[in-house]
Amino acid sequence: MKDMNFLEMQKKFINPDVTANGDQRASVPLMKATTLWFNTGTLCNIECVNCYIESSPKNDSLVYITPDEVSDYLDQIDQREWATNEIAFTGGEPFLNPDMIEIARRCLERNYKVLILTNAMLPMMRKSVQNGLLDLRSKYNERLTLRVSLDHYTAKLHDTERGKGSYNITLNGMKWLRDKGFKMAIAGRTVWGDSDIDSRLGYAKLFNDNKFEIDANDPNVTVLFPEIDEKIDVPEITTECWGILNKSPKDVMCASSRMVVKRKGAKKPSVVACTLLPYSKEFEMGNSLEEAEVSVKLNHPHCAKFCVLGGASCSS
């Protein structure tokens, strides 16, 4: 039975237009581009057990994006008249990028909300970064949010994913953010099987005990991501699934966002469909936002499990 399941899985997510059963594959048009993501580079100060983008201290498959490259895409937003109100940054660890503060400043100066995903560990706690963040907070505090990766509300399970002692280091970073008045959000994970209610109760107690002004019950503030495991069989999403699942294409992340990445050795950054698929060539859309204004065919397990069935979105 196990071998049969594996063989069936191998037939899925092959043809961009039809499923393994011959049904029309669902696709999602770019309806209203409210968020533009930038991957700041895949280098990270730690190496997690299950990182969807394989970030580590050695992985530079995606290299540091520069302030001028980011500014070029901000200009393109204006030229294309996108409805973008949020610029978001992920990695790797964004604060390893030496230009992260300047990049955030350029976005904030142009009145965008800025979301930075961080593990709140040593790269964020360097004096130069702290001083830069404090300057940004003094000018743009209401539009700047740092979403901290805290995989579980207990040290034991968080450290299982990120390494012994990482929980306490992250908590110290969060306390610095708290004391300096930064807006924080949390990215947690559901891999350990806690119910949504139990997870949020656990985070709520942690937030209360540490006087973190974070709403554990707001799914846009305490984001609990479904686990990504490509070894698990998931159904393909057909056009009929929207009605069956009572969902709409507009609810899927790629209806409202794109991500810019810069590949090692590339002359220019390129635009990909979403934050989850930085390496999949079929989801690369070209170098410009204009080229990215096309529908995304849901031809990947992440599309099914994370976005459609999991109902998750990386944006705030």
Side-chain angles (χ1 to χ4, degrees), residues 65-77:
I65 201 154
T66 69
D68 286 346
E69 288 166 340
V70 171
S71 291
D72 176 65
Y73 282 97
L74 300 183
D75 291 340
Q76 290 184 50
I77 289 173

Side-chain angles (χ1 to χ4, degrees), residues 45-284:
N45 55 300
I46 58 174
E47 186 171 1
C48 296
V49 172
N50 187 21
C51 176
Y52 78 95
I53 202 169
E54 302 172 2
S55 296
S56 77
K58 296 180 179 179
N59 181 10
D60 60 352
S61 299
L62 302 181
V63 297
Y64 292 148
I65 201 154
T66 69
D68 286 346
E69 288 166 340
V70 171
S71 291
D72 176 65
Y73 282 97
L74 300 183
D75 291 340
Q76 290 184 50
I77 289 173
D78 293 338
Q79 293 160 9
R80 301 305 301 167
E81 298 183 344
W82 279 19
T84 306
N85 55 35
E86 177 185 56
I87 307 296
F89 299 95
T90 184
E93 167 53 46
F95 289 115
L96 279 178
N97 185 319
D99 291 318
M100 188 63 245
I101 296 298
E102 175 60 20
I103 288 170
R105 185 189 315 282
R106 293 192 185 192
C107 298
L108 290 162
E109 284 175 346
R110 294 173 70 154
N111 294 318
Y112 290 106
K113 293 187 296 181
V114 167
L115 174 67
I116 304 175
L117 277 56
T118 178
N119 55 38
M121 297 177 78
L122 299 182
M124 190 196 77
M125 295 296 283
R126 300 197 310 271
K127 272 298 177 188
S128 59
V129 174
Q130 287 182 329
N131 291 337
L133 283 171
L134 288 170
D135 183 57
L136 294 180
R137 187 220 61 195
S138 69
K139 298 171 182 174
Y140 310 107
N141 192 40
E142 289 306 308
R143 288 189 278 115
L144 175 62
T145 301
L146 288 94
R147 182 190 288 169
V148 179
S149 296
L150 195 67
D151 290 335
H152 198 263
Y153 51 86
T154 67
K156 179 180 178 180
L157 293 182
H158 176 89
D159 286 1
T160 297
E161 177 66 28
R162 294 184 177 252
K164 185 176 180 180
S166 60
Y167 179 87
N168 288 333
I169 297 173
T170 292
L171 229 58
N172 286 337
M174 292 176 64
K175 290 173 182 176
W176 182 83
L177 292 170
R178 174 202 65 195
D179 294 344
K180 300 303 180 182
F182 286 92
K183 291 173 61 177
M184 279 190 287
I186 290 294
R189 300 172 79 156
T190 61
V191 61
W192 297 281
D194 295 349
S195 69
D196 186 81
I197 292 175
D198 287 343
S199 290
R200 295 190 185 282
L201 285 172
Y203 278 107
K205 184 178 185 307
L206 174 70
F207 299 160
N208 184 65
D209 289 347
N210 289 277
K211 296 182 171 57
F212 295 142
E213 293 186 5
I214 306 171
D215 188 346
N217 294 310
D218 186 340
N220 293 313
V221 175
T222 300
V223 188
L224 302 180
F225 289 114
E227 197 61 17
I228 295 174
D229 187 346
E230 294 186 29
K231 298 186 295 292
I232 295 176
D233 189 21
V234 294
E236 296 180 282
I237 305 300
T238 71
T239 53
E240 293 183 351
C241 287
W242 301 124
I244 296 170
L245 298 170
N246 194 28
K247 289 179 177 283
S248 167
K250 68 180 176 60
D251 300 326
V252 183
M253 184 165 53
C254 54
S256 60
S257 68
R258 293 288 184 264
M259 184 169 76
V260 178
V261 303
K262 189 175 182 182
R263 304 193 187 284
K264 188 176 183 178
K267 293 182 179 179
K268 294 181 178 180
S270 55
V271 187
V272 297
C274 80
T275 58
L276 302 177
L277 300 167
Y279 301 130
S280 299
K281 293 295 185 182
E282 65 269 32
F283 291 93
E284 186 160 332

